[in-house]
Amino acid sequence: MREEKLALEHVTKQFGQKTNLVTALEDVSLAFKAGEVSLIIGPSGSGKSTLLTILGGLQTPTDGSVRLNGHDISDLSTKEAEKTRLEQIGFVLQAYNLVPYLTVADQFKLVDQVKPNNNLSQDGFDKIIETLGIQKLLNKYPGELSGGQQQRVAIARALYTDPAIILADEPTAALDTARVKEVGQLFANIAHDEEKAVVIVTHDDRLREFSDNVYKIVDGKLSNTD
Amino acid sequence: MFLAIREIKKEKLRYGLILTVVVLISYLIFILSALALGLATANTAAVDSWQSKSFVMTKDANGNAGQSLLTTKQVDQLSDDKTATLGITPVNMKIGGKRESAQFVGMNNDEYIAKNLQLTKGHLPKAANEVVLADSVDKDIYGMGDKISIGLSDTKYKIVGYAKNATYNTAPVIYGALAQWRVIKGVSDQFQGSVVTSKTSQSVDDKALKTYSYQAFINKLPGYTPQKATFGLMIGFLIVISLIVITIFLYILTVQKLPNLAVLRAQGIPNRFLAQNTLFETFFIMATGIVVGAVLSALTEFGIPDSVPMAFDWGLMGLIAAGLMVTGLLGAIIPIRVISKIDPVSVIGG
Ligand SMILES: Nc1ncnc2c1ncn2[C@@H]1O[C@H](COP(=O)(O)OP(=O)(O)O)[C@@H](O)[C@H]1O
Ligand SMILES: [Mg+2]
C-alpha cells in the first residue's frame, strides 16, 4: 500500500453570494499517494485551479476538508499555511514561476534565504539539474531561456525544497509536443524515483500517458475516470 | 537584501532613473538649504557677533533699527555697564566712481560691542574719521587706508581695519564712531543712537520704547522673515514632492513585479522577507541618492561665486538627509502594504 499524502473530502468551494453564486467545486473527494502522478483533466473554467489552490492551502474550502499527511489543514492560519507550502509543497505554475531578476542559480539561493535547512544536498541538486538538462543555464536569467527551459528550471525550483508533494497547474501550456513528453516523463520519474505525490491539473490530454491516475473534472464535479 | 541587491544590479536603467531623481531632489534641497542658510547668515552675522540678549528701540521703529531714533535722555536712562549704544543706518558708501549699499554701525569704543569686535586686520576706529569695514568687502576697491564717503556726511572716512562676520541685513557693515551716525544719517543732535543693546535681558518703563529679544530683533530685520518662510516653504514642498515621487516609483516597480511576488507568496516565501526587501531597496536608493546629492552640493559650493551667499552646515545637512531618508522609507509604506495584500491565488488560474 502506498502512503496517502494529500486528500480532499467532500470539498465544495463557492464564490460570491445569492444570484452571483458560483460553485467552482462541488463535493469533490480525492486522495493522492506518494509515488504516483495524478492527472486532473478538464476544460477551462471547470475548477482545476481552484482545486489546486485548495490542495496547496492557498484557499480554504467552503465545505469539506483537506488532509495533509493525515492532518486536517482546512483551517490553518495564514502563517501556518505559508510554512506548510514552503516545506511540504512544490508549486509548478503556468507562468511567473521564476524571479526575472535572479539568475537560475540564484533562484535556488533565494530558497536558502528563507528555508536554510532540509533542501536538496549538493549531490541531489546536481542530479536534478542534470536530469532536467539545466546545468549550463545556471548563470542565465529567465528572460534568456526558452519556454521549455524556463519550465524545467521551475520544476527544479519546486523540487529544491525536497517537498513531499508537487502541485502543477497547466505546466505544459507553453510547450510544444516534444517538450510536453519530456516534462511529462520528468514528472513521472520524480514521482516514481523520488516517491513524491505529483498532482497535475491541466486540459492537456498529451500528459495522460505519463500518469498513474486520471480524473476528469467538469463544472466543478468529478466524473468517472476513463 | 538578497533580492534587492540582485534586482538593482539587473534592472540598472530602472533603478538608475529613480536614483537620478533622488539625487536631483536631494541636491536641490541641499543647495536651497545652503542658500537659505547663507542668506540668513548674511542677514544676522553682525548681530550674532554682538552677543546681545536684548535690543531697545523706539516703538515707532517697529523693530527696524534703521528707523529708530533714541534721544539722549532715553539713552542715558537705558545705559549701564552691561549695555552698548549703537547708531545703525542703511547708507551708500562711495569710493572713486563706485557706490555700494552698506550698513553704518556707530559705536562707543568703551562699550562691550566695540571691545568684543573681532578684527581680521587693523585697529578699531580711534578718530572720528576712521572706520572699520566688513572683511567681506572687495579689498581691491576698499583697501586699507583708502578714503570713502558715507551717507550724507561730508567727511572722508579712512579705512583702518576689517571686521569678521560683519554683514547686517545682507549688506556689509561699516563700524565707526557713534557720534558720526548722526552726521551720516542727517538727524538733529537731540538724538543719540538707534539701539541700546544689552548683554542681559532688559525691560523698559518708557511707553515710547520697546525691548526686543535677540530672536525678535533678527526676525524684524527687513525681509528676513519672509525670506526664511519662502525657503522653508520651498524645502518643505520639495520634501513632499520627493515623498510623492518615491512612492509613485516604488509603487509602479512593485505593481510590475506583482505576479512574481504572488508566486513567491504561493511558494511560501514569507511576507516579511519581501517587505524587508522593499525597505532595504528604498534605503539603498535613498542613501545613495543623498550621498551623491551631498557630494554634488559640496562641489557646487566650490564653483559658485562668492557674491552668492551659501553656507553649509553639516548639522543641518545631516538633519535634512535624515528627513529625506524618513521620507523615502515612508514612501515604501504603500508598496509594502500592496505586497502584504497580495493574494497568491490571483496568479494561479487562467
Ligand atoms: N476568486 C473567484 N471569485 C469568483 N469566481 C471564481 C474565483 N475563482 C474562480 N472562480 C470561478 O470558478 C470557476 C472555476 O475556475 P478555475 O478554478 O479557475 O477553473 P479552471 O482552472 O479549470 O479554468 C470559474 O467559473 C471561475 O470564474
Ligand atoms: Mg486554471
Side-chain angles (χ1 to χ4, degrees):
Chain A
M1 255 305 279
R2 283 200 156 117
E3 190 189 348
E4 177 203 284
K5 278 280 155 198
L6 195 57
L8 297 179
E9 290 222 8
H10 304 292
V11 164
T12 295
K13 180 69 178 177
Q14 294 177 320
F15 296 106
Q17 275 162 1
K18 296 196 179 143
T19 49
N20 294 323
L21 191 79
V22 177
T23 304
L25 291 176
E26 196 177 331
D27 195 22
V28 174
S29 296
L30 276 171
F32 305 103
K33 294 187 180 126
E36 294 183 356
V37 176
S38 303
L39 197 67
I40 299 162
I41 215 162
S44 190
S46 55
K48 302 185 298 293
S49 293
T50 306
L51 182 89
L52 197 83
T53 52
I54 288 177
L55 282 172
L58 294 167
Q59 306 193 69
T60 53
T62 312
D63 227 329
S65 61
V66 186
R67 255 193 344 263
L68 174 71
N69 295 326
H71 300 289
D72 193 342
I73 60 158
S74 319
D75 304 311
L76 286 187
S77 75
T78 323
K79 260 224 155 69
E80 290 166 327
E82 208 163 67
K83 192 161 179 283
T84 304
R85 291 202 299 277
L86 186 59
E87 291 175 355
Q88 312 262 2
I89 295 170
F91 276 103
V92 181
L93 305 174
Q94 187 176 337
Y96 306 117
N97 285 296
L98 305 175
V99 183
Y101 46 85
L102 294 184
T103 60
V104 170
D106 280 341
Q107 309 278 340
F108 303 101
K109 285 193 195 132
L110 170 62
V111 177
D112 291 328
Q113 295 283 313
V114 290
K115 179 179 179 268
N117 301 314
N118 299 323
N119 296 322
L120 286 186
S121 65
Q122 190 61 48
D123 281 354
F125 178 68
D126 290 344
K127 201 177 124 208
I128 278 192
I129 60 168
E130 199 199 320
T131 312
L132 287 161
I134 56 171
Q135 317 97 298
K136 295 217 168 65
L137 308 178
L138 288 178
N139 291 320
K140 291 199 189 294
Y141 287 98
E144 301 167 328
L145 306 180
S146 71
Q149 288 171 326
Q150 286 186 26
Q151 204 58 305
R152 279 182 281 154
V153 174
I155 293 168
R157 156 69 185 81
L159 291 170
Y160 185 67
T161 55
D162 198 19
I165 298 154
I166 305 282
L167 300 178
D169 190 10
E170 314 258 16
T172 55
L175 306 181
D176 59 36
T177 302
R179 282 284 172 228
V180 170
K181 290 203 185 304
E182 247 180 68
V183 169
Q185 190 56 54
L186 197 77
F187 278 119
N189 293 345
I190 291 161
H192 302 151
D193 303 345
E194 317 265 335
E195 283 293 306
K196 312 271 184 214
V198 177
V199 181
I200 305 172
V201 304
T202 187
H203 61 260
D204 190 343
D205 270 322
R206 298 172 293 181
L207 283 171
R208 275 173 186 271
E209 57 176 298
F210 306 100
S211 309
D212 302 292
N213 316 294
V214 179
Y215 306 95
K216 269 184 116 172
I217 186 168
V218 177
D219 292 339
K221 280 178 271 200
L222 282 186
S223 64
N224 288 335
T225 42
D226 49 4
Chain B
M1 239 166 89
F2 177 88
L3 283 175
I5 291 170
R6 284 162 180 80
E7 182 173 9
I8 291 168
K9 245 173 77 182
K10 175 88 197 317
E11 306 289 353
K12 288 193 186 71
L13 179 66
R14 219 174 262 189
Y15 285 92
L17 283 176
I18 175 165
L19 193 61
T20 307
V21 171
V22 174
V23 166
L24 289 178
I25 288 178
S26 56
Y27 175 60
L28 202 55
I29 291 180
F30 283 139
I31 291 293
L32 270 181
S33 63
L35 284 171
L37 194 66
L39 201 57
T41 307
N43 264 300
T44 65
V47 181
D48 290 342
S49 76
W50 300 342
Q51 300 180 6
S52 301
K53 273 222 174 82
S54 68
F55 302 78
V56 181
M57 286 178 267
T58 57
K59 197 170 254 168
D60 294 341
N62 190 30
N64 180 357
Q67 300 284 334
S68 175
L69 298 171
L70 297 175
T71 62
T72 308
K73 202 177 133 209
Q74 286 169 326
V75 169
D76 288 347
Q77 272 172 359
L78 290 165
S79 293
D80 60 39
D81 58 347
K82 289 195 179 64
T83 64
T85 306
L86 300 177
I88 301 175
T89 182
V91 292
N92 279 320
M93 55 179 176
K94 282 166 280 185
I95 185 165
K98 265 198 85 80
R99 189 188 275 269
E100 194 174 338
S101 296
Q103 290 277 347
F104 181 81
V105 177
M107 56 187 182
N108 289 322
N109 276 358
D110 58 351
E111 288 175 338
Y112 76 93
I113 288 185
K115 285 181 180 162
N116 293 341
L117 209 60
Q118 290 194 356
L119 301 183
T120 54
K121 216 177 159 196
H123 57 82
L124 286 176
K126 285 176 195 152
N129 70 337
E130 291 183 346
V131 290
V132 164
L133 250 57
D135 187 46
S136 57
V137 297
D138 186 343
K139 309 249 176 19
D140 290 340
I141 301 171
Y142 304 97
M144 196 70 151
D146 288 354
K147 296 210 160 140
I148 59 174
S149 313
I150 304 172
L152 300 172
S153 174
D154 296 327
T155 314
K156 295 277 184 195
Y157 294 89
K158 189 172 151 202
I159 302 170
V160 298
Y162 301 99
K164 218 167 139 180
N165 298 326
T167 54
Y168 181 98
N169 205 195
T170 72
V173 171
I174 308 165
Y175 286 107
L178 181 59
Q180 294 303 307
W181 162 77
R182 195 185 308 133
V183 186
I184 287 167
K185 195 172 172 65
V187 295
S188 67
D189 56 9
Q190 69 181 110
F191 297 111
Q192 181 78 13
S194 40
V195 190
V196 174
T197 69
S198 176
K199 289 195 268 189
T200 58
S201 310
Q202 205 177 19
S203 58
V204 289
D205 299 330
D206 194 332
K207 288 271 185 301
L209 301 180
K210 191 168 174 195
T211 307
Y212 293 86
S213 66
Y214 161 79
Q215 196 56 52
F217 184 77
I218 295 282
N219 289 342
K220 283 285 188 180
L221 285 174
Y224 177 75
T225 301
Q227 279 164 14
K228 230 170 82 169
T230 306
F231 273 108
L233 214 63
M234 283 200 280
I235 292 169
F237 272 130
L238 271 175
I239 288 187
V240 172
I241 288 171
S242 67
L243 175 62
I244 295 170
V245 168
I246 290 159
T247 304
I248 291 174
F249 258 108
L250 290 174
Y251 179 76
I252 292 174
L253 289 180
T254 305
V255 167
Q256 278 180 339
K257 301 186 285 199
L258 227 43
N260 286 296
L261 292 171
V263 170
L264 289 175
R265 302 276 284 113
Q267 289 167 341
I269 308 281
N271 186 23
R272 242 189 54 189
F273 181 82
L274 300 176
Q276 276 172 357
N277 192 63
T278 298
L279 214 56
F280 178 80
E281 213 165 83
T282 313
F283 178 83
F284 177 86
I285 293 168
M286 293 312 294
T288 313
I290 290 168
V291 168
V292 175
V295 169
L296 284 181
S297 316
L299 291 178
T300 305
E301 203 221 352
F302 284 119
I304 214 143
D306 281 347
S307 56
V308 181
M310 252 177 118
F312 281 93
D313 178 86
W314 293 111
L316 180 70
M317 290 216 4
L319 211 68
I320 290 170
L324 272 170
M325 180 57 86
V326 170
T327 305
L329 295 179
L330 283 178
I333 287 181
I334 293 180
I336 284 175
R337 272 184 64 88
V338 169
I339 291 173
S340 72
K341 290 216 165 4
I342 290 176
D343 181 7
V345 175
S346 63
V347 282
I348 302 175

